[in-house]
Amino acid sequence: MTHAEAAAELENAHFFARQDSRHEDLAEDERGPAELAEWERIVQLLARADGIYDPDTDAVVQDERVADAAAAERREAAAREGQRVAVRADELQALRKLGALQQTEPREGDEAARDELTRRAGGYVQGDVDGWLARALAAQLGHYRTPGARDAAAGLLPLPVLTHAALLAALARLVPAAEVDEMVFAGQLASAEPEAAGALAAFLTRAHLEDC
């Protein structure tokens, strides 16, 4: 595009901006002023360059292209992650139907799969899934073997699941031989009074440390 062509486009943009200003429904439209500002920028750019506009050498256009490409990559990554979460949620649903969920070790990202199952259920808490994650977190199974995963769980799981896990871990330290079925009350307490259950877990942990 030459300087003269850009100047003509700028004049057109000014014309349409004047037309739009006469209509209330178009006066607040931001596209017109943005287009006008862009043509003004291009005309000024050509005035300083050799008179020929090439978008491939326009730093602003190149920055926009880089930003658009990065945004597209983020959308694709989000779509891939959404698909992965949906597949894992299907796996967990199949395992629970088979009665094998409690024998399964959690993987990285299962917190998102838990959220997907809850969403599919219309927001209702999935007690068996929450209990499974709490027990795995308390016993440090699957990806919860790593401290980083356990720390991350604090921001990925709801308070009742976290307090359930903390209470189970504290009880297991006090009574190592206790069976999971003997501590069903831990989940009930965590669901009903998560803050109180968390305080109880902290108290039991302190009592255990003082006895050591």
Side-chain angles (χ1 to χ4, degrees), residues 48-190:
R48 296 192 302 267
D50 58 5
I52 301 297
Y53 177 71
D54 183 357
D56 290 336
T57 62
D58 187 335
V60 173
V61 172
Q62 294 309 306
D63 288 345
E64 289 175 350
R65 288 177 177 176
V66 170
D68 289 345
E73 186 175 347
R74 288 193 295 271
R75 288 193 296 271
E76 290 176 4
R80 289 193 299 270
E81 176 62 12
Q83 184 176 22
R84 188 195 66 78
V85 168
V87 169
R88 180 57 173 167
D90 290 340
E91 291 178 0
L92 296 181
Q93 181 68 13
L95 287 168
R96 74 199 298 193
K97 287 182 177 179
L98 292 171
L101 180 62
Q102 301 306 324
Q103 290 74 49
T104 304
E105 291 195 350
R107 304 176 190 166
E108 182 178 357
D110 276 354
E111 298 88 356
R114 176 250 177 216
D115 293 343
E116 172 63 14
L117 287 172
T118 303
R119 184 194 67 77
R120 293 178 184 180
Y124 291 102
V125 172
Q126 307 294 286
D128 55 344
V129 176
D130 281 3
W132 166 65
L133 285 171
R135 286 188 284 274
L137 182 56
Q140 299 182 11
L141 301 176
H143 75 298
Y144 292 133
R145 291 188 179 91
T146 64
R150 295 195 296 275
D151 291 341
L156 299 172
L157 293 172
L159 183 59
V161 178
L162 297 172
T163 54
H164 185 187
L167 192 51
L168 286 175
L171 291 168
R173 284 189 292 267
L174 288 174
V175 188
E179 298 290 338
V180 172
D181 292 344
E182 297 180 75
M183 296 185 287
V184 174
F185 64 89
Q188 296 169 340
L189 285 174

